Structure formats: structure tokens, C-alpha cells
Amino acid sequence: MIHTSHGTIHTPIFMPVGTVGSVKGIQLRDLYDDINAEIILGNTYHLYLRPGTDVLEAAGGLHKFNGFDRPMLTDSGGFQVFSLTGIRKLREEGCEFRSHIDGSKHFFSPERVIDIERSIGADIMMAFDECPPGTAEYSYAKKSLALTLNWLNRCVQRYHDTEPKYGYHQALFPIVQGCTYRDLRTESAEKVAEIGAEGNAIGGLAVGEPAEVMYEMIELVNSILPHDRPRYLMGVGTPVNILEAIALGVDMFDCVMPSRNGRNAMLFTANGTLNMRNAKWSTDFSPIDPDGHSAIDTLYTKAYLHHLYKAQELLALQLGTLHNLAFYLWLVREARSHIIAGDFRQWKDLMVPRLSQRL
């Protein structure tokens, strides 16, 4: 369990992505009652650009601004900034970039990012890092890691030099990088472990490398990171990825997949995935998911949801997102119950082939 000022998080946990202060298409009552999200994410890059830190500070932080009174985590914005290839300039001091909204020029340094995250007020703040491409050459990956470790030291210093703005504790999680190079991942994990942070993250995976390589890197890093601190695998992934990573010692996950796929007619269930645009669902009047991980699963039929997607009704996007997020939260809670029962690996080995099916 992770204890924060806004509540306790039971791990393993999946964190719905609320990039600009909202989980797309989902109201607070759904996050509380149907999905039962224990923690959600906000994104430093997007929240900095709009509504801006002045608005967030005037509101009393993101919790007060969006009304979500449970724990929140902010990613550092590093992934977003460094995905702006062609409209950013990287140097030792930080990164200059242009807004994807209006082209205006901005600068993120490690210190500036910590200041922004203090203004947002999330319970867990991520350190500023460079997220290099998964296909990066060794020479680039090594140079990138050196920069990330330098920035990490500056983030830690700024974190200790500043205080929370809203009267409650904020934790800082470092991020392990190093692409798929074992020596770089080892170096990064060792440096991160030395910091003694309240939790640690693994970044730069699920960016194009084979799943087997991703699992190899997770296993390597988790053999170094402290076992008594939460370990957060950033941006991963499919239900199968999540179960395999839990088996390797990961505690926390986030990914846009359940919400994005839900908006695009792909639903996840314990028996596999469904493409709700397929004609075969047009006269299937069975529930969306008879196992009922969400309140909507037994209220609506596959045929009705198929109709909504085909008619491009906004309700389809909402229902698909609700279903998928509720399923992801159910999956990690089931994993927790099997870990406690002592039969997680047997259950995981049964679930993986089921989850991998296309229905």
C-alpha cells in the first residue's frame, strides 16, 4: 500500500490517464463509483500550457481545480517535450520547445519542472528526464542517460530546496532510463536506487522494442531497485503486459490504451478483445461483458454498442472508455487478491492466453 495525504493506494494499481486534468469522457462520479480509481494522472507539459500554473495556484492546486480528492501523480512532461522532434532544442540546461497549441516558445529545466509540479500539487511528482527513442543507437542512449542523471540530481536538489504549496506532502519519483542496453539500465537503476526516494519509475519502454526485450529490462531493473518501495512502469500497456510486469515486481501502471481503445471501439474483457465495429455484433443481444466489471456491462448489449459506434454517437466513446478502465482496475485488483492468496503465477499463466484472444 502507498499512503498519501489524499488516500491509500493498493498495489498493484492501474492509474487512468487524465492528461489535461480530466480522464477523457469520464465524470468524477464514474471515476469514484464505477471505475473506483484510487489514483489518476495529470501531465505537467499539458497543464503548464493550459490552464497554466497561475490558474491552478489560484484554484488551490489540481485537486481543487478538477474536484478529484483522491491521490494524483504528475508525469514530468519529458516524454511530451521530447516527442516534439523538430520544434525543440535540447541542451545541458534543459529543453527549449514550441507549444503544439500555438507555437509559442517555452523552456523546461529540471528546476522549472519541479516548480510546475509543486504548483499542480500532485501527491507524486516525476523527475524530468529525456525519453530517447526505443531504436536509439548506443552512443545516443549513453549521452541521453548522462543528461537524464544530471537532470535527476538537479530535480532532487530543487525538490529539497522547495516546499509543497498546499499543505500536504508530495513525493518525488526518479525515472530509470537506458533504452534496451543492459549496462545503461544497470547504471541508471543503481544511481536511482542510491537516491533513496519514496518510489521509483521505469521509463523508456514499450516504445517499439519486442515485448520479450521489455520484460528483460524490467527484470534487470527490478533486481536493483529497492523491493520495499513502489516501482512504476510508465506507459505500459496491454492487459498481458501488465500481468507479466506484475510477475516481475512492478506495482504501478498507466497507459492511454484502455481509454483510447475504448474511444475506437476496441473493448478488453477477461476472455479477450472485441472490435465493436465488426458486423457480427450487430445482432448479438448479450451483455457487453457478462462478468460485469462495470455497472454498464450488463445494462447494454453488444448490438446496441455496435450501433452507437457505427452511428458515431458520443455515448459509444463514453461507454467504451468506462468499460475498459473498469476492466483494467478489476484486473489489477484480481492480481492483488491472487498475490495475497499465494497463487498469482498460476492464475497469471491461465489468464495470459485468454487475454490474448481476439473475439
Side-chain angles (χ1 to χ4, degrees):
M1 292 184 289
I2 305 169
H3 301 286
T4 79
S5 298
H6 288 93
T8 298
I9 305 157
H10 298 81
T11 68
I13 191 66
F14 180 83
M15 303 178 283
V17 176
T19 303
V20 295
S22 72
V23 179
K24 284 186 172 61
I26 303 298
Q27 297 185 62
L28 280 178
R29 69 183 183 203
D30 299 321
L31 285 172
Y32 291 147
D33 300 334
D34 205 3
I35 298 168
N36 192 19
E38 296 186 15
I39 177 174
I40 64 172
L41 264 69
N43 181 267
T44 296
Y45 168 83
H46 289 283
L47 290 168
Y48 161 78
L49 290 177
R50 56 184 179 193
T53 54
D54 289 349
V55 172
L56 291 171
E57 288 188 13
L62 184 57
H63 287 92
K64 295 287 181 64
F65 187 61
N66 71 1
F68 189 74
D69 62 5
R70 296 179 182 179
M72 283 196 270
L73 178 151
T74 39
D75 112 11
S76 69
F79 180 83
Q80 285 70 31
V81 168
F82 296 112
S83 67
L84 299 172
T85 306
I87 54 173
R88 50 94 167 172
K89 295 178 181 177
L90 181 64
R91 55 183 187 268
E92 192 75 20
E93 294 80 12
C95 184
E96 181 184 288
F97 62 94
R98 291 191 177 275
S99 165
H100 71 287
I101 300 167
D102 59 10
S104 57
K105 189 181 293 187
H106 303 271
F107 184 76
F108 273 7
S109 66
E111 294 80 8
R112 181 72 178 117
V113 166
I114 295 298
D115 291 347
I116 295 167
E117 293 192 87
R118 288 293 199 195
S119 295
I120 296 170
D123 301 87
I124 300 172
M125 311 186 300
M126 304 308 300
F128 191 49
D129 64 333
E130 182 187 7
C131 185
T135 56
E137 296 288 338
Y138 181 84
S139 58
Y140 182 91
K142 186 176 178 64
K143 182 179 178 181
S144 170
L145 178 58
L147 188 64
T148 287
L149 292 175
N150 173 274
W151 286 357
L152 174 58
N153 290 332
R154 289 166 58 189
C155 282
V156 171
Q157 186 62 52
R158 187 67 161 198
Y159 173 74
H160 289 304
D161 288 345
T162 56
E163 295 290 334
K165 292 180 180 289
Y166 310 114
Y168 55 82
H169 177 68
Q170 293 179 277
L172 176 66
F173 282 21
I175 303 172
V176 175
Q177 289 288 355
C179 291
T180 57
Y181 301 106
R182 292 184 66 87
D183 62 326
L184 299 183
R185 284 283 174 182
T186 298
E187 177 188 354
S188 183
E190 288 174 348
K191 294 286 177 58
V192 162
E194 288 173 5
I195 289 171
E198 295 171 72
N200 302 292
I202 307 169
L205 293 176
V207 287
E209 78 282 357
E212 296 73 20
V213 175
M214 176 176 71
Y215 299 143
E216 179 187 341
M217 293 299 106
I218 294 169
E219 185 173 24
L220 171 65
V221 169
N222 279 348
S223 71
I224 299 168
L225 293 179
H227 289 196
D228 61 346
R229 311 288 171 90
R231 296 181 289 206
Y232 164 30
L233 180 60
M234 305 181 75
V236 178
T238 67
V240 169
N241 291 158
I242 287 174
L243 291 191
E244 295 292 2
I246 290 171
L248 296 170
V250 174
D251 302 290
M252 303 169 70
F253 301 87
D254 81 285
C255 188
V256 298
M257 184 172 287
S259 47
R260 179 177 290 168
N261 285 22
R263 297 193 301 274
N264 288 285
M266 178 172 281
L267 303 188
F268 297 97
T269 76
N271 295 305
T273 57
L274 304 85
N275 182 343
M276 296 313 301
R277 288 199 176 96
N278 285 351
K280 65 180 177 181
W281 306 121
S282 63
T283 55
D284 186 331
F285 302 107
S286 64
I288 295 172
D289 188 346
D291 293 331
H293 305 310
S294 164
I296 68 165
D297 289 345
T298 52
L299 287 174
Y300 301 101
T301 67
K302 295 183 181 74
Y304 180 60
L305 204 57
H306 168 80
H307 158 69
L308 293 178
Y309 279 113
K310 294 292 284 186
Q312 298 184 352
E313 280 291 319
L314 294 179
L315 181 59
L317 282 61
Q318 182 180 21
L319 295 181
T321 303
L322 267 171
H323 165 82
N324 278 352
L325 287 174
F327 173 74
Y328 266 59
L329 267 296
W330 169 83
L331 186 68
V332 293
R333 291 186 185 110
E334 277 293 290
R336 177 184 172 86
S337 68
H338 285 282
I339 291 168
I340 292 170
D343 63 353
F344 170 77
R345 290 185 184 276
Q346 300 95 301
W347 173 77
K348 187 266 292 182
D349 290 343
L350 288 173
M351 287 298 295
V352 164
R354 288 173 58 189
L355 294 167
S356 302
Q357 297 179 108
R358 293 292 183 100
L359 301 176

